[in-house]
Every structure is written in C-alpha cells, then in structure tokens.
Amino acid sequence: MFFSICLLLLEQSRAWQSYHFNHAPYHSIHSFVRPPSSSNLLATPQPNPPDNDSLQTVGDGGNNNNNNQNNLNNSNKPDGDDSDSSSSFPSKIKAYFSPTDNSPPEALEDFKIYGTSLLIALLIRFAVLEPRYIPSLSMYPTFDVGDQLAVEKISKWSNHGMPQRRNVVVFNPPEEFRRLITSLDKNTGEKKSKEALIKRVVAIEGDTVLIKSGGLYINNELQDEPYIAESPLYEFGPVTVPAGQLLVLGDNRNKSFDGHAWGFLPKENIIGRAIFTYWPPWRIGNSNMP
C-alpha cells in the first residue's frame, strides 16, 4: 500500500514537471512581448497557440520547447541586421549612379529630365514671358503697388521693334533718366537708375506731341485716355518724336517721373510689353493693356 502511494506521488511529480517544462516558455515569451493585464495576474497561465506559419503536432513537447526558446532569443534581437542597415544607404547611392541591365544610370535619366525642364523654363523666362512687380503708383490706376504682371517679349521683334501707341511697356531706363535720378537722390539714386521701369507709350517716331490745358494732343488730335488717374497739370511740347524713339508717360500723370521730364526712350531699351495682371486675384485681367 505504501509502495503504491509513493509510486503515485512520483508519477504525479513527473507529470507536474513535464507540464511546467513544456508550458512555462509560452508564458515567458508572452510576458516579454506584452505584459499581462492586471486582471489576468491571478489567472492560471495558459499555453499560447503557436504561430500559424509554424504549426506543430499536439504533445510534441521537445519541439515546442526548442521553437519557443528560439522565439525568445529572436525577440531579443533588433529588427533588421545592423550591417545591412548601415550599408543600405551607400548601396542605394551607388546603385543610383551605376548602370543596370545594360541601361544608363538612374541619375543620368533624372539629370536629363531636370536639365531639360530647367532649360525650357529659362528659355521661356528670357525670351518669351517674364513676371514683373509694381513698386510704385506711377501707373495707377492701371497698376497698384504690389501688383504682379506678365510681360511678353515676342512682340518687340515684330514691326522692327516699335510698339504701338497705348501699349504698356517695360524698359531699361535711358541715360538721361539715370543722370537725373542720380543727381536728385544721392542715397539710392544709383540703385534706382538701374531698375527697369514701366510706362505707357503715347507717341511713336514721327509723331508730334503737345500737352496743354490738361489734354494730350498727338498730331493735333486730342486723345481720349480713360485709363489716367487725372489730367496733367503741366504743359509739354510741341515736339516731334525722333526716329527710333518713343515718348512714354505714366497713367498717374502728375505723380510720374516719365518722358515729359527726361525725354524720349530708345526702342532698344524695351524689355517687353505688359499683357495681364495675375496677382492679386481680385485684380486679375488685362484691362487697359492693349
């Protein structure tokens, strides 16, 4: 009887050791990856099922122990290989500049795309269209301070470079303007003398110009100018515009330092013609810009 009880206790002890040995690793991994909530602290530890991609035969305790121990070891490793991650960036750079599969390097293809885009943008900027900013009220009300407008450069190559009356043109200042502005403003005159200007063409070569009694006369005809801020309070002329020259005035006639003060503008100084305002949004359009 005593021998039977001892044998029963021995078998029970072996069974308990086998259960603890086979199932403890599951709980250890579970606790390492994600600690159990406080509500489960007193619960009896239950074996977690194996991952779906490593199905095992039920009761294969040795395999369970080995695989779970491997999982525990793997869980202590950082994601990825340090050597691979450290060399991934240089490898990508090398691959970017190296040809693959008998094709040119990716860098060369990108350079062609970006280089072509830049070349087209520069061509448009210097030969076709460029933006300009209005810094003063000399052309008010057509342009206000802060307006941004587009200036086209193609038309200056037509009609021998001679714009039409009422065109709004952007131009480099002539020598007489540079001399006067430098003498009038000792501090910033030198800088201002190099900045492009914007005015309206009122007369072209061969025209006779006269300003009197608040009216502009071109070839003895009074001009209708609905775009000016107010009638001029000064008198000018009569003068005849020389060949290859223009007379330009600001729409804000009494607050514009223009051709009535510094004379005629050589047509070679013209940069382009203003065609529309694109900023601010509430001023978008090309009103009074023929």
Side-chain angles (χ1 to χ4, degrees):
M1 180 66 178
F2 177 76
F3 178 77
S4 299
I5 293 175
C6 291
L7 183 60
L8 181 61
L9 291 176
L10 180 60
E11 292 295 328
Q12 183 65 28
S13 175
R14 289 179 177 176
W16 171 251
Q17 291 178 359
S18 177
Y19 175 84
H20 181 73
F21 181 77
N22 292 334
H23 295 85
Y26 285 111
H27 183 69
S28 298
I29 294 174
H30 178 77
S31 299
F32 178 80
V33 176
R34 183 182 59 190
S37 61
S38 58
S39 60
N40 294 331
L41 289 177
L42 299 178
T44 301
Q46 297 295 329
N48 291 335
D51 296 335
N52 292 334
D53 59 351
S54 59
L55 295 178
Q56 300 173 349
T57 304
V58 177
D60 189 0
N63 291 336
N64 285 345
N65 180 61
N66 293 334
N67 290 333
N68 289 327
Q69 188 64 33
N70 291 335
N71 291 337
L72 179 60
N73 294 335
N74 291 335
S75 65
N76 291 326
K77 295 181 180 180
D79 294 338
D81 190 347
D82 290 342
S83 61
D84 292 342
S85 61
S86 63
S87 62
S88 59
F89 183 74
S91 299
K92 291 180 179 179
I93 295 298
K94 183 179 179 180
Y96 183 71
F97 289 97
S98 301
T100 56
D101 299 333
N102 297 324
S103 61
E106 184 180 355
L108 180 59
E109 296 297 325
D110 290 346
F111 177 79
K112 290 180 179 179
I113 295 174
Y114 297 143
T116 303
S117 301
L118 179 61
L119 182 62
I120 293 174
L122 292 176
L123 180 63
I124 293 175
R125 169 65 175 78
F126 289 105
V128 180
L129 194 72
E130 73 174 45
R132 286 285 174 173
Y133 171 84
I134 301 297
S136 71
L137 289 172
S138 67
M139 283 295 291
Y140 184 83
T142 304
F143 301 119
D144 203 348
V145 174
D147 285 358
Q148 297 182 35
L149 57 140
V151 177
E152 63 88 11
K153 300 182 176 183
I154 298 177
S155 62
K156 72 177 182 179
W157 304 112
S158 62
N159 194 28
H160 304 288
M162 184 63 66
Q164 303 299 311
R165 299 186 191 95
R166 302 195 177 201
N167 283 168
V168 178
V169 294
V170 175
F171 57 91
N172 294 314
E175 290 299 324
E176 183 63 15
F177 173 90
R178 296 173 186 267
R179 186 186 67 80
L180 289 175
I181 199 67
T182 303
S183 62
L184 292 173
D185 190 345
K186 300 296 184 181
N187 296 325
T188 60
E190 185 66 25
K191 178 181 178 182
K192 291 180 179 179
S193 67
K194 300 177 181 178
E195 296 176 350
L197 304 176
I198 181 169
K199 306 295 178 186
R200 188 181 298 273
V201 177
V202 297
I204 60 176
E205 58 184 9
D207 288 343
T208 300
V209 184
L210 174 65
I211 299 176
K212 68 175 184 179
S213 303
L216 171 66
Y217 294 84
I218 303 296
N219 301 325
N220 297 321
E221 293 185 6
L222 179 62
Q223 302 298 302
D224 179 25
E225 299 182 294
Y227 39 77
I228 65 175
E230 57 186 358
S231 298
L233 300 177
Y234 56 83
E235 293 188 356
F236 177 79
V239 294
T240 299
V241 182
Q245 306 281 315
L246 306 166
L247 179 65
V248 294
L249 302 176
D251 288 352
N252 197 356
R253 293 289 159 85
N254 297 312
K255 297 179 181 178
S256 175
F257 187 56
D258 51 31
H260 86 277
W262 44 260
F264 302 110
L265 173 70
K267 67 178 183 179
E268 292 80 11
N269 289 42
I270 294 176
I271 297 174
R273 178 173 64 95
I275 54 176
F276 68 89
T277 303
Y278 63 85
W279 189 265
W282 54 87
R283 291 182 61 83
I284 291 177
N286 62 347
S287 178
N288 297 321
M289 283 180 277

mmCIF file of all heavy atoms in Angstrom, residues 220-250:
data_model
loop_
_atom_site.group_PDB
_atom_site.id
_atom_site.type_symbol
_atom_site.label_atom_id
_atom_site.label_comp_id
_atom_site.label_asym_id
_atom_site.label_seq_id
_atom_site.Cartn_x
_atom_site.Cartn_y
_atom_site.Cartn_z
ATOM 1 N N ASN A 220 -1.939 116.858 -83.518
ATOM 2 C CA ASN A 220 -3.025 117.846 -83.415
ATOM 3 C C ASN A 220 -4.383 117.224 -83.111
ATOM 4 O O ASN A 220 -5.417 117.903 -83.273
ATOM 5 C CB ASN A 220 -3.123 118.701 -84.694
ATOM 6 C CG ASN A 220 -1.865 119.528 -84.936
ATOM 7 O OD1 ASN A 220 -1.269 120.057 -83.983
ATOM 8 N ND2 ASN A 220 -1.451 119.640 -86.201
ATOM 9 N N GLU A 221 -4.406 115.974 -82.687
ATOM 10 C CA GLU A 221 -5.681 115.335 -82.316
ATOM 11 C C GLU A 221 -5.712 115.064 -80.811
ATOM 12 O O GLU A 221 -4.780 114.461 -80.262
ATOM 13 C CB GLU A 221 -5.870 114.031 -83.078
ATOM 14 C CG GLU A 221 -6.058 114.217 -84.573
ATOM 15 C CD GLU A 221 -6.352 112.890 -85.263
ATOM 16 O OE1 GLU A 221 -6.528 111.859 -84.560
ATOM 17 O OE2 GLU A 221 -6.397 112.871 -86.512
ATOM 18 N N LEU A 222 -6.775 115.521 -80.146
ATOM 19 C CA LEU A 222 -6.939 115.301 -78.715
ATOM 20 C C LEU A 222 -7.205 113.817 -78.464
ATOM 21 O O LEU A 222 -8.099 113.217 -79.090
ATOM 22 C CB LEU A 222 -8.099 116.139 -78.177
ATOM 23 C CG LEU A 222 -8.401 115.992 -76.683
ATOM 24 C CD1 LEU A 222 -7.214 116.452 -75.827
ATOM 25 C CD2 LEU A 222 -9.658 116.772 -76.321
ATOM 26 N N GLN A 223 -6.446 113.225 -77.547
ATOM 27 C CA GLN A 223 -6.543 111.788 -77.277
ATOM 28 C C GLN A 223 -7.510 111.515 -76.116
ATOM 29 O O GLN A 223 -7.541 112.249 -75.125
ATOM 30 C CB GLN A 223 -5.164 111.232 -76.914
ATOM 31 C CG GLN A 223 -4.103 111.455 -77.976
ATOM 32 C CD GLN A 223 -4.442 110.767 -79.284
ATOM 33 O OE1 GLN A 223 -4.625 109.549 -79.319
ATOM 34 N NE2 GLN A 223 -4.520 111.535 -80.375
ATOM 35 N N ASP A 224 -8.292 110.474 -76.305
ATOM 36 C CA ASP A 224 -9.184 110.013 -75.232
ATOM 37 C C ASP A 224 -8.414 109.014 -74.373
ATOM 38 O O ASP A 224 -7.995 107.959 -74.868
ATOM 39 C CB ASP A 224 -10.423 109.362 -75.841
ATOM 40 C CG ASP A 224 -11.376 108.852 -74.767
ATOM 41 O OD1 ASP A 224 -11.340 109.397 -73.629
ATOM 42 O OD2 ASP A 224 -12.134 107.906 -75.040
ATOM 43 N N GLU A 225 -8.222 109.329 -73.110
ATOM 44 C CA GLU A 225 -7.422 108.492 -72.208
ATOM 45 C C GLU A 225 -8.214 108.167 -70.946
ATOM 46 O O GLU A 225 -8.032 108.789 -69.886
ATOM 47 C CB GLU A 225 -6.118 109.196 -71.841
ATOM 48 C CG GLU A 225 -5.219 109.499 -73.025
ATOM 49 C CD GLU A 225 -3.922 110.151 -72.585
ATOM 50 O OE1 GLU A 225 -3.986 111.290 -72.087
ATOM 51 O OE2 GLU A 225 -2.853 109.513 -72.733
ATOM 52 N N PRO A 226 -9.084 107.166 -70.997
ATOM 53 C CA PRO A 226 -9.899 106.827 -69.824
ATOM 54 C C PRO A 226 -9.114 106.152 -68.707
ATOM 55 O O PRO A 226 -9.621 105.997 -67.592
ATOM 56 C CB PRO A 226 -10.942 105.873 -70.405
ATOM 57 C CG PRO A 226 -10.278 105.251 -71.583
ATOM 58 C CD PRO A 226 -9.390 106.312 -72.149
ATOM 59 N N TYR A 227 -7.894 105.742 -68.978
ATOM 60 C CA TYR A 227 -7.098 104.975 -68.009
ATOM 61 C C TYR A 227 -6.249 105.845 -67.089
ATOM 62 O O TYR A 227 -5.621 105.329 -66.169
ATOM 63 C CB TYR A 227 -6.173 103.992 -68.751
ATOM 64 C CG TYR A 227 -5.563 104.544 -70.005
ATOM 65 C CD1 TYR A 227 -4.491 105.432 -69.956
ATOM 66 C CD2 TYR A 227 -6.076 104.211 -71.255
ATOM 67 C CE1 TYR A 227 -3.935 105.957 -71.101
ATOM 68 C CE2 TYR A 227 -5.525 104.731 -72.411
ATOM 69 C CZ TYR A 227 -4.457 105.610 -72.339
ATOM 70 O OH TYR A 227 -3.914 106.138 -73.484
ATOM 71 N N ILE A 228 -6.157 107.175 -67.326
ATOM 72 C CA ILE A 228 -5.294 108.006 -66.493
ATOM 73 C C ILE A 228 -5.999 108.363 -65.184
ATOM 74 O O ILE A 228 -7.239 108.388 -65.106
ATOM 75 C CB ILE A 228 -4.853 109.286 -67.228
ATOM 76 C CG1 ILE A 228 -6.055 110.188 -67.527
ATOM 77 C CG2 ILE A 228 -4.102 108.928 -68.501
ATOM 78 C CD1 ILE A 228 -5.666 111.537 -68.142
ATOM 79 N N ALA A 229 -5.179 108.622 -64.133
ATOM 80 C CA ALA A 229 -5.738 108.970 -62.822
ATOM 81 C C ALA A 229 -6.328 110.372 -62.822
ATOM 82 O O ALA A 229 -7.381 110.612 -62.218
ATOM 83 C CB ALA A 229 -4.645 108.855 -61.753
ATOM 84 N N GLU A 230 -5.679 111.309 -63.493
ATOM 85 C CA GLU A 230 -6.160 112.692 -63.580
ATOM 86 C C GLU A 230 -5.466 113.383 -64.747
ATOM 87 O O GLU A 230 -4.424 112.931 -65.237
ATOM 88 C CB GLU A 230 -5.884 113.443 -62.275
ATOM 89 C CG GLU A 230 -4.429 113.452 -61.860
ATOM 90 C CD GLU A 230 -4.222 114.076 -60.494
ATOM 91 O OE1 GLU A 230 -5.196 114.539 -59.887
ATOM 92 O OE2 GLU A 230 -3.052 114.093 -60.035
ATOM 93 N N SER A 231 -6.039 114.468 -65.171
ATOM 94 C CA SER A 231 -5.454 115.215 -66.292
ATOM 95 C C SER A 231 -4.144 115.853 -65.864
ATOM 96 O O SER A 231 -3.990 116.286 -64.711
ATOM 97 C CB SER A 231 -6.426 116.314 -66.753
ATOM 98 O OG SER A 231 -7.628 115.739 -67.208
ATOM 99 N N PRO A 232 -3.185 115.923 -66.771
ATOM 100 C CA PRO A 232 -1.891 116.523 -66.411
ATOM 101 C C PRO A 232 -2.025 118.009 -66.108
ATOM 102 O O PRO A 232 -2.750 118.745 -66.785
ATOM 103 C CB PRO A 232 -1.035 116.271 -67.663
ATOM 104 C CG PRO A 232 -2.006 116.099 -68.773
ATOM 105 C CD PRO A 232 -3.211 115.449 -68.173
ATOM 106 N N LEU A 233 -1.273 118.431 -65.098
ATOM 107 C CA LEU A 233 -1.276 119.828 -64.675
ATOM 108 C C LEU A 233 -0.084 120.588 -65.257
ATOM 109 O O LEU A 233 0.139 121.751 -64.915
ATOM 110 C CB LEU A 233 -1.250 119.917 -63.152
ATOM 111 C CG LEU A 233 -2.429 119.261 -62.425
ATOM 112 C CD1 LEU A 233 -2.249 119.366 -60.918
ATOM 113 C CD2 LEU A 233 -3.749 119.876 -62.869
ATOM 114 N N TYR A 234 0.678 119.956 -66.125
ATOM 115 C CA TYR A 234 1.835 120.588 -66.737
ATOM 116 C C TYR A 234 1.604 120.709 -68.241
ATOM 117 O O TYR A 234 0.670 120.107 -68.801
ATOM 118 C CB TYR A 234 3.100 119.777 -66.456
ATOM 119 C CG TYR A 234 3.019 118.317 -66.897
ATOM 120 C CD1 TYR A 234 3.282 117.956 -68.214
ATOM 121 C CD2 TYR A 234 2.669 117.308 -66.003
ATOM 122 C CE1 TYR A 234 3.200 116.630 -68.629
ATOM 123 C CE2 TYR A 234 2.585 115.988 -66.398
ATOM 124 C CZ TYR A 234 2.863 115.654 -67.707
ATOM 125 O OH TYR A 234 2.766 114.352 -68.107
ATOM 126 N N GLU A 235 2.474 121.483 -68.879
ATOM 127 C CA GLU A 235 2.440 121.629 -70.327
ATOM 128 C C GLU A 235 3.736 121.091 -70.912
ATOM 129 O O GLU A 235 4.797 121.164 -70.293
ATOM 130 C CB GLU A 235 2.230 123.090 -70.730
ATOM 131 C CG GLU A 235 0.857 123.608 -70.353
ATOM 132 C CD GLU A 235 0.576 124.984 -70.920
ATOM 133 O OE1 GLU A 235 1.489 125.585 -71.560
ATOM 134 O OE2 GLU A 235 -0.554 125.468 -70.761
ATOM 135 N N PHE A 236 3.605 120.542 -72.128
ATOM 136 C CA PHE A 236 4.763 119.903 -72.757
ATOM 137 C C PHE A 236 4.627 120.028 -74.266
ATOM 138 O O PHE A 236 3.571 119.776 -74.832
ATOM 139 C CB PHE A 236 4.830 118.424 -72.349
ATOM 140 C CG PHE A 236 5.935 117.642 -72.996
ATOM 141 C CD1 PHE A 236 7.242 117.732 -72.534
ATOM 142 C CD2 PHE A 236 5.669 116.809 -74.072
ATOM 143 C CE1 PHE A 236 8.257 117.000 -73.118
ATOM 144 C CE2 PHE A 236 6.673 116.066 -74.662
ATOM 145 C CZ PHE A 236 7.974 116.161 -74.189
ATOM 146 N N GLY A 237 5.737 120.408 -74.930
ATOM 147 C CA GLY A 237 5.736 120.477 -76.378
ATOM 148 C C GLY A 237 5.285 121.827 -76.922
ATOM 149 O O GLY A 237 5.167 122.785 -76.175
ATOM 150 N N PRO A 238 5.069 121.789 -78.213
ATOM 151 C CA PRO A 238 5.070 120.630 -79.129
ATOM 152 C C PRO A 238 6.473 120.178 -79.516
ATOM 153 O O PRO A 238 7.377 120.977 -79.685
ATOM 154 C CB PRO A 238 4.328 121.155 -80.346
ATOM 155 C CG PRO A 238 4.578 122.639 -80.338
ATOM 156 C CD PRO A 238 4.690 123.045 -78.901
ATOM 157 N N VAL A 239 6.610 118.824 -79.615
ATOM 158 C CA VAL A 239 7.868 118.196 -80.027
ATOM 159 C C VAL A 239 7.544 117.064 -80.987
ATOM 160 O O VAL A 239 6.444 116.503 -80.958
ATOM 161 C CB VAL A 239 8.657 117.654 -78.817
ATOM 162 C CG1 VAL A 239 9.125 118.792 -77.905
ATOM 163 C CG2 VAL A 239 7.854 116.636 -78.040
ATOM 164 N N THR A 240 8.530 116.747 -81.814
ATOM 165 C CA THR A 240 8.384 115.622 -82.737
ATOM 166 C C THR A 240 9.293 114.496 -82.274
ATOM 167 O O THR A 240 10.475 114.716 -81.994
ATOM 168 C CB THR A 240 8.743 116.037 -84.174
ATOM 169 O OG1 THR A 240 7.857 117.082 -84.599
ATOM 170 C CG2 THR A 240 8.603 114.857 -85.126
ATOM 171 N N VAL A 241 8.741 113.289 -82.191
ATOM 172 C CA VAL A 241 9.497 112.131 -81.709
ATOM 173 C C VAL A 241 10.500 111.711 -82.774
ATOM 174 O O VAL A 241 10.127 111.462 -83.930
ATOM 175 C CB VAL A 241 8.555 110.956 -81.369
ATOM 176 C CG1 VAL A 241 9.354 109.780 -80.834
ATOM 177 C CG2 VAL A 241 7.499 111.397 -80.366
ATOM 178 N N PRO A 242 11.808 111.655 -82.419
ATOM 179 C CA PRO A 242 12.825 111.275 -83.412
ATOM 180 C C PRO A 242 12.679 109.819 -83.853
ATOM 181 O O PRO A 242 11.992 109.007 -83.221
ATOM 182 C CB PRO A 242 14.146 111.499 -82.653
ATOM 183 C CG PRO A 242 13.811 112.360 -81.488
ATOM 184 C CD PRO A 242 12.393 112.027 -81.120
ATOM 185 N N ALA A 243 13.322 109.486 -84.935
ATOM 186 C CA ALA A 243 13.307 108.114 -85.446
ATOM 187 C C ALA A 243 13.949 107.170 -84.425
ATOM 188 O O ALA A 243 14.966 107.494 -83.800
ATOM 189 C CB ALA A 243 14.055 108.046 -86.765
ATOM 190 N N GLY A 244 13.325 106.006 -84.262
ATOM 191 C CA GLY A 244 13.842 105.013 -83.327
ATOM 192 C C GLY A 244 13.599 105.353 -81.878
ATOM 193 O O GLY A 244 14.167 104.705 -80.978
ATOM 194 N N GLN A 245 12.745 106.363 -81.608
ATOM 195 C CA GLN A 245 12.475 106.815 -80.244
ATOM 196 C C GLN A 245 10.971 106.710 -79.935
ATOM 197 O O GLN A 245 10.143 106.571 -80.836
ATOM 198 C CB GLN A 245 12.937 108.258 -80.057
ATOM 199 C CG GLN A 245 14.382 108.513 -80.438
ATOM 200 C CD GLN A 245 15.356 108.071 -79.368
ATOM 201 O OE1 GLN A 245 15.158 108.324 -78.192
ATOM 202 N NE2 GLN A 245 16.418 107.393 -79.784
ATOM 203 N N LEU A 246 10.650 106.792 -78.651
ATOM 204 C CA LEU A 246 9.274 106.766 -78.170
ATOM 205 C C LEU A 246 9.097 107.823 -77.097
ATOM 206 O O LEU A 246 10.065 108.229 -76.446
ATOM 207 C CB LEU A 246 8.927 105.394 -77.568
ATOM 208 C CG LEU A 246 9.144 104.147 -78.414
ATOM 209 C CD1 LEU A 246 9.077 102.899 -77.527
ATOM 210 C CD2 LEU A 246 8.093 104.060 -79.507
ATOM 211 N N LEU A 247 7.849 108.228 -76.898
ATOM 212 C CA LEU A 247 7.520 109.051 -75.740
ATOM 213 C C LEU A 247 6.599 108.233 -74.842
ATOM 214 O O LEU A 247 5.547 107.750 -75.282
ATOM 215 C CB LEU A 247 6.819 110.346 -76.151
ATOM 216 C CG LEU A 247 6.426 111.253 -74.976
ATOM 217 C CD1 LEU A 247 7.680 111.775 -74.257
ATOM 218 C CD2 LEU A 247 5.552 112.427 -75.438
ATOM 219 N N VAL A 248 7.029 108.029 -73.593
ATOM 220 C CA VAL A 248 6.263 107.219 -72.643
ATOM 221 C C VAL A 248 5.903 108.073 -71.433
ATOM 222 O O VAL A 248 6.714 108.875 -70.951
ATOM 223 C CB VAL A 248 7.057 105.973 -72.200
ATOM 224 C CG1 VAL A 248 7.271 105.032 -73.374
ATOM 225 C CG2 VAL A 248 8.382 106.337 -71.565
ATOM 226 N N LEU A 249 4.672 107.902 -70.946
ATOM 227 C CA LEU A 249 4.177 108.620 -69.771
ATOM 228 C C LEU A 249 3.508 107.646 -68.818
ATOM 229 O O LEU A 249 3.008 106.590 -69.235
ATOM 230 C CB LEU A 249 3.168 109.710 -70.182
ATOM 231 C CG LEU A 249 3.639 110.788 -71.164
ATOM 232 C CD1 LEU A 249 2.474 111.714 -71.535
ATOM 233 C CD2 LEU A 249 4.791 111.592 -70.593
ATOM 234 N N GLY A 250 3.482 108.014 -67.542
ATOM 235 C CA GLY A 250 2.771 107.210 -66.554
ATOM 236 C C GLY A 250 1.297 107.547 -66.545
ATOM 237 O O GLY A 250 0.903 108.696 -66.809
#
